[in-house]
Every structure is written in structure tokens, then in C-alpha cells.
Amino acid sequence: MTLYRYLAEGMFFGFIVLIMFGGMLTVWSRLLMHAVLGLAVVFIGVAGLFFHLGSPFMAMMQVLIYVGAVCVMLVFGIMVGHSPTQVDRLRWSGNNFLLASGTCIAGFVLLTATLIRTQWTAAAQRVGDFSMQHLGEAFLHQFVLAFELISVVLLIAILGAIIIARPPQESDPS
Amino acid sequence: MSTVMNTGFLPLELLRIIFALICAIVIVFGNAVVMGYLERKLAGRFQRRPGPMEVGWHGILQLAVDGVKLVGKQLIIPKQTDRVLYRLAPIISFAPAIMPMVVIPFAPKLQGRDFDIGLIFILAVVAINVLAILIAGWSSNNKYSLLGAMRSVAQNVAYEIPMLLTLLSVILVTGTFSLRGIVEAQSGGAWFIFFMPVAFLIFFAATLAETNRAPFDLPEAESELTAGFMTEFSGMGFSLFFMAEYTYMFIACSLTVILFLGGWSGPPLPYGEYTSALWFFAKVYALLLTMIWIRWTFPRVRFDQLLNFCWKYLVPFSLVHLLVTAVVLKL
């Protein structure tokens, strides 16, 4: 049993390292394409965490929707307008700086507050029921709000892809 | 057997997984060799020429020679490419191709791991290939590669809809995502192809497009785009894409066999729990040969024809099919 434990723990930290690496790539890279692919790495790492925590369905959905759909949409949007030799310059000033730091701090505060406030309970024993009936009832009865919100995420992803892919002439007078 | 292997340090289950992974890799490479030879030989025959004849009996060792040649070739990285992504793209395309082999049930006792959601697992893993093709096309910094990659995505996204819809009709009947469960639901010759032949045809057409096979091979249309998204790749980079394509064909045909042709079921064989894998492989290779046959028989479609075929015929038909299946099940 101990070998399994070591392997599982190793995988867990491996996935965390993968997520950190992807996140840093997303934030620091100067090439838009690298940023999006870093995001894909983050998504795959998160899927691995879901898998590790005994929720393979979530893991598969994570890969199917975020890597297979959202990232492909973003990459598709970017590849039309940007070539590998076109490195963006840093725009580390004014509005961008304020917006970015505001979002980061808000996100950090929200997440930490949730983490501290939530009364964590151990997850119930894995249900293991992936029949159509069970999934359908879960999606359209129990978790219908979350299910509908996911489609908003997809809409935002498509809008984001359009905004990113739009040529910069309109906002940039130079 | 189990007492010998249960050493405590390496538990049996772990050994089983490692063994399954090794088998998966063997199947991937074996399939690439067999398919490479069959494709060249059959292409030759369809065009009234002998195909490879020089190396070994009827050129049977040709693929070994080609493999050595491809491994030995210089990896050329053009100057204007994105070097990291250019090197990564073939790997990202090839690596996910191995994973579905672990959940495919070849025979009642020949399955790496039965997964409750095996079908979704395969779909999720295979979705990464689209990303790999995009990366390959973009990082090459070549207009042919870029066009090939863009075509590939448009085609994949469009044809995924009828594929998933027909898949859903099968799932409605079986009520499970487990590949083993789907095969067992068809035991005794009650194959789904007899109940829903239209779904089978739609699914097969969609898999042809999903695996970029002729007549839907627009992402690598030789006469228009030299080699599409893999124009700039040489040596092992190219051959990894090549093997990935054959593996995805194998996976697509395996899925078709599992969903519509009853998986491993067939006339009983001795040691059927293992040897009925022969039926599985026989069906898969019959479908693969059909794919080759189609490729060398039909001309390539135009891009507008490709998308029209999907949105105007396949999607409505599969929607109606899903509706009919649901109604029939409720009656």
C-alpha cells in the first residue's frame, strides 16, 4: 500500500508543479500563443488534480471543454493574426496595470475568504454511478444552475477569443 | 502466479497497469507498421501498379527500412519557426494517441482498465490532437501549414457535432459510458448496426473527417497545400504525425466496432475470454481497409462541399436520428 501512497502523493505534487509552471508561462510569456498554451497546461494540471481527488468525470470534462474547446478557440483566434516572430511589447502602465492588479487582488481576497470561511467536510464516498439517468438527473435537477453557468463561461471564452484576435489598430492610434 | 508477483513492493495491480501500457505502445507501433504497408500496397494495387516490391517478399520489410531512414534523418528546424513549439507539436499529437488503448476492451479479459466513462475519456484525450495540429501549423510559420491547420480545426469542430449526436443515440440505448458495458449490451448478435444503420453511416463518415482521411483530407491536401500542417516537418517529427494519424484511425475504427459492431462478439473460440480479441481486430481492420479503399477511390471534396455535407446533411440527420431513438425508447 505504501508504494501507492508515495505514487499518489508524487502525482499530486507533480500536478501542482505543472499548474504553477503553466500559470507562470501564461502570465510571463511575451508571445500570446505561449500564454494560451500555458493556460492549456494549467487546465490539464487541474484535470489531473480532479482525477487524483477521485472525480474522473470532472477531470474528463475539464480536458474536453477547457483544453479541447476553449483553448482551441483561443488558439484559433490568435493564430490568424499573430505569427511566431511577432513578440508583443510590454504594456506595463496606466490602465492595464490598475486593472490587472485590481483583478488579482480581488481574486486573491475572494478565494482566501472562501477558503477560510468554508466549513470543509470530507467528500462522500465516491458514487461511481455514471449511468445516463444519474448524470441527467444531476445535471438538470440538482446542479442545473452550475450547468447553465458553464455555458456562460463558454460564451465569455468565445468573446475573449474575438477580442484578442481583433487587430489592434482600433484601440491603438499609432 | 499471483503469489509470485505479489511481492509487496510492486503490487499486482501496478504491474498490470505497466503491462497494459507496454501492450498499448506495442499496438500503436504495430498498427502503424501494418497500416503503412497495407496503405502503400493497396494504393499501388488500386492504381494498377505493384507497390513496394524490393525489400523482402513483396516488399514486406519496406516499413522497417523506412523507419530506419526516418530515424536517421536530420531534424531540420527552419529559421522563422517557434523552436520550442515546433519540436513539441509532434509529441503533443502522438502522446494522447497511446492513452485510449488502455480503456479499449479488446476481449472480455483483455482490457487495460474498465473505466465508467471510457467513452468520454477517449473523446477528451483525442480532443488534444486538434490543439497539436494547430500548434504544428502555427509554429511552422508557413502559409500552407497555417491554412492546413485552420482547415483541420474547422473540419474537426464541425464533424464533432454529428459524431457526438450519433454517439448519444447509442448511449441512450445502453445507458452507460463504459465501453465494456456498451459491448455487453450488444451480446448475442444484437449489434447496433442492425438497429440503427443510419447512425453507423453518419458516425463512420464523421470519423473519416475527424481523422483527416480522404475524401476529407483537406488539412493535408497534397495538390493544394503540399502537405498541410506537416509541410515543414522532417524525420521523426514527420513520422510521429504519421503514426499519430494511423493510431487515431485505429481508435476511430475501434470506437465504431465497439459502438455498432458488437466489439469482441463473434462465433465462439477456444479460450474465448482472450482469443475473441481476434474478432475485434478482424472487424477493426475490415473498417480500416474500407478507409483505405475509400481514400483511393473517391476524389477529394472541396472545402465548401465538406462543410455543406456536414451542416446540411449529417447534422440534421443525426438530430432526427437522436429524436427517433428517444421516442422509440419511450414507447
Side-chain angles (χ1 to χ4, degrees):
Chain A
M1 261 346 259
T2 47
L3 183 70
Y4 275 137
R5 283 261 331 248
Y6 287 133
L7 275 179
E9 299 283 306
M11 294 289 264
F12 185 75
F13 285 106
F15 285 131
I16 287 182
V17 169
L18 198 69
I19 292 172
M20 301 279 276
F21 169 73
M24 285 191 237
L25 197 65
T26 312
V27 179
W28 282 340
S29 117
R30 304 272 297 276
L31 224 64
L32 206 50
M33 185 67 110
H34 287 186
V36 174
L37 294 176
L39 203 63
V41 172
V42 172
F43 289 147
I44 288 177
V46 173
L49 280 190
F50 277 131
F51 204 95
H52 178 267
L53 297 174
S55 177
F57 190 76
M58 285 298 289
M60 292 305 110
M61 284 299 143
Q62 178 85 15
V63 175
L64 196 64
I65 294 172
Y66 286 93
V67 181
V70 173
C71 275
V72 166
M73 277 298 143
L74 284 174
V75 169
F76 193 60
I78 291 165
M79 70 189 279
V80 181
H82 299 249
S83 79
T85 46
Q86 188 181 344
V87 181
D88 273 347
R89 64 196 158 79
L90 278 178
R91 278 172 292 192
W92 196 236
S93 58
N95 255 344
N96 275 342
F97 181 76
L98 281 179
L99 274 175
S101 41
T103 321
C104 287
I105 292 168
F108 182 76
V109 169
L110 265 176
L111 275 180
T112 334
T114 332
L115 273 177
I116 293 169
R117 284 203 171 180
T118 313
Q119 205 74 17
W120 295 103
T121 47
Q125 203 63 35
R126 202 177 132 230
V127 191
D129 185 5
F130 292 103
S131 64
M132 274 294 270
Q133 198 173 2
H134 179 79
L135 285 177
E137 270 173 17
F139 273 144
L140 296 177
H141 207 263
Q142 231 175 326
F143 303 108
V144 68
L145 184 67
F147 184 63
E148 290 300 322
L149 279 179
I150 289 173
S151 36
V152 180
V153 171
L154 286 178
L155 180 71
I156 291 172
I158 292 172
L159 284 179
I162 293 172
I163 290 170
I164 289 174
R166 206 173 48 179
Q169 285 93 327
E170 290 157 56
S171 56
D172 207 351
S174 59
Chain B
M1 190 66 174
S2 60
T3 48
V4 181
M5 288 165 97
N6 228 342
T7 53
F9 176 67
L10 272 182
L12 196 60
E13 185 58 27
L14 195 65
L15 279 177
R16 225 174 67 88
I17 293 172
I18 294 170
F19 184 66
L21 279 176
I22 293 172
C23 284
I25 292 167
V26 168
I27 291 172
V28 166
F29 280 86
N31 173 60
V33 169
V34 172
M35 282 302 291
Y37 178 72
L38 278 181
E39 175 120 342
R40 292 179 64 176
K41 203 70 189 170
L42 287 174
R45 290 291 168 187
F46 285 135
Q47 297 170 347
R48 307 200 66 181
R49 56 186 172 84
M53 286 298 267
E54 293 297 322
V55 196
W57 182 77
H58 279 255
I60 201 136
L61 295 175
Q62 183 67 45
L63 260 289
V65 180
D66 283 356
V68 173
K69 186 194 83 176
L70 283 168
V71 171
K73 264 197 170 176
Q74 187 191 357
L75 279 175
I76 298 166
I77 303 182
K79 236 182 187 169
Q80 299 281 304
T81 53
D82 187 318
R83 301 179 76 87
V84 181
L85 290 183
Y86 182 83
R87 274 168 182 264
L88 269 178
I91 303 171
I92 301 176
S93 176
F94 183 65
I98 301 172
M99 287 158 73
M101 298 293 167
V102 177
V103 294
I104 290 176
F106 296 105
K109 283 198 172 175
L110 283 183
Q111 186 182 20
R113 205 173 172 81
D114 187 37
F115 213 20
D116 300 333
I117 47 169
L119 197 56
I120 301 180
F121 177 77
I122 291 185
L123 294 175
V125 166
V126 168
I128 298 175
N129 188 39
V130 183
L131 203 60
I133 290 177
L134 273 180
I135 295 172
W138 182 80
S139 66
S140 303
N141 202 6
N142 173 328
K143 59 186 167 198
Y144 295 128
S145 306
L146 197 65
L147 275 174
M150 282 162 68
R151 283 181 176 190
S152 169
V153 175
Q155 174 174 331
N156 269 290
V157 169
Y159 275 83
E160 214 156 60
I161 299 168
M163 196 178 86
L164 293 181
L165 284 175
T166 46
L167 219 144
L168 209 56
S169 326
V170 174
I171 298 299
L172 270 184
V173 178
T174 61
T176 172
F177 287 111
S178 153
L179 295 175
R180 173 182 291 265
I182 294 169
V183 172
E184 276 163 1
Q186 308 173 57
S187 59
W191 298 356
F192 286 142
I193 186 175
F194 301 131
F195 302 117
M196 26 183 138
V198 181
F200 170 74
L201 289 178
I202 295 173
F203 189 81
F204 194 61
T207 53
L208 277 180
E210 288 280 310
T211 51
N212 301 333
R213 286 293 289 188
F216 307 123
D217 61 343
L218 286 137
E220 42 194 291
E222 297 93 347
S223 49
E224 306 160 36
L225 299 178
T226 48
F229 60 90
M230 38 180 161
T231 303
E232 296 287 350
F233 287 86
S234 61
M236 275 318 277
F238 170 77
S239 49
L240 275 183
F241 274 124
F242 213 69
M243 280 194 284
E245 189 184 320
Y246 280 135
T247 313
Y248 286 119
M249 280 167 65
F250 182 86
I251 294 165
C253 288
S254 303
L255 268 189
T256 319
V257 166
I258 289 165
L259 289 171
F260 293 104
L261 297 174
W264 64 69
S265 63
L269 292 170
Y271 302 106
E273 281 160 340
Y274 299 99
T275 49
S276 51
L278 288 176
W279 292 122
F280 185 88
F281 280 106
K283 289 173 197 169
V284 169
Y285 276 95
L287 282 180
L288 284 170
L289 286 182
T290 318
M291 277 190 167
I292 296 177
W293 185 17
I294 290 172
R295 172 170 180 187
W296 298 102
T297 308
F298 291 108
R300 185 180 304 128
V301 296
R302 271 197 334 259
F303 202 68
D304 56 320
Q305 292 170 332
L306 172 97
L307 289 182
N308 276 342
F309 180 61
C310 178
W311 292 107
K312 291 188 183 164
Y313 296 96
L314 291 189
V315 172
F317 271 115
S318 50
L319 271 174
V320 170
H321 190 274
L322 183 62
L323 205 70
V324 170
T325 316
V327 169
V328 167
L329 278 180
K330 265 291 159 202
L331 286 180

